[in-house]
Amino acid sequence: MNRSACLLSALYLATSTGLAWTAVLALRHDPPWAVCLFAAASLVPVIAIVRESVICDQRRALAEIGRRAAGPGAGAADDIVRAELDTACCERWWTSCGTDHDSACPRRVPRSSAA
């Protein structure tokens, strides 16, 4: 975890401890519904701590995927796409998936009206 996540987790832990202590004090003097309310509220920061650790793990995994993608084979896909774009002869050919050419395209083959 980074510093801000550790600080946030420490605050969550302090909040959870404070709410649990309030539940204990409520058990001595207050009605049972208040005890249940404070006990349930003391679990919410614990869930937040688990969430912070999951987010940290996801960020770490995403960084690892990024490091793998930036490896030696990353430029191969770019080279393939660049070569395909360089072989495209005109805009209409590219947008029509190779079925039609612009009127000024040198690769244009006139269509015959003969069947």
Side-chain angles (χ1 to χ4, degrees):
M1 280 193 213
N2 57 14
R3 279 188 188 162
S4 63
C6 286
L7 178 64
L8 196 57
S9 294
L11 289 173
Y12 287 148
L13 188 60
T15 304
S16 180
T17 304
L19 287 169
W21 179 247
T22 305
V24 169
L25 292 177
L27 181 62
R28 293 181 184 174
H29 305 290
D30 292 335
W33 63 267
V35 176
C36 292
L37 181 69
F38 284 118
S42 69
L43 295 177
V44 174
V46 174
I47 294 169
I49 291 172
V50 171
R51 182 178 173 271
E52 285 295 323
S53 66
V54 168
I55 288 173
C56 182
D57 291 342
Q58 288 176 344
R59 285 182 181 161
R60 196 175 300 133
L62 187 60
E64 180 64 29
I65 290 171
R67 280 193 293 270
R68 285 187 202 157
D78 292 338
D79 292 340
I80 292 170
V81 170
R82 191 172 296 112
E84 289 295 323
L85 287 173
D86 290 342
T87 59
C89 58
C90 61
E91 181 69 25
R92 181 179 276 168
W93 179 86
W94 187 254
T95 57
S96 67
C97 297
T99 59
D100 197 16
H101 291 274
D102 285 337
S103 59
C105 180
R107 294 186 185 175
R108 181 174 184 238
V109 178
R111 294 190 179 175
S112 172
S113 61

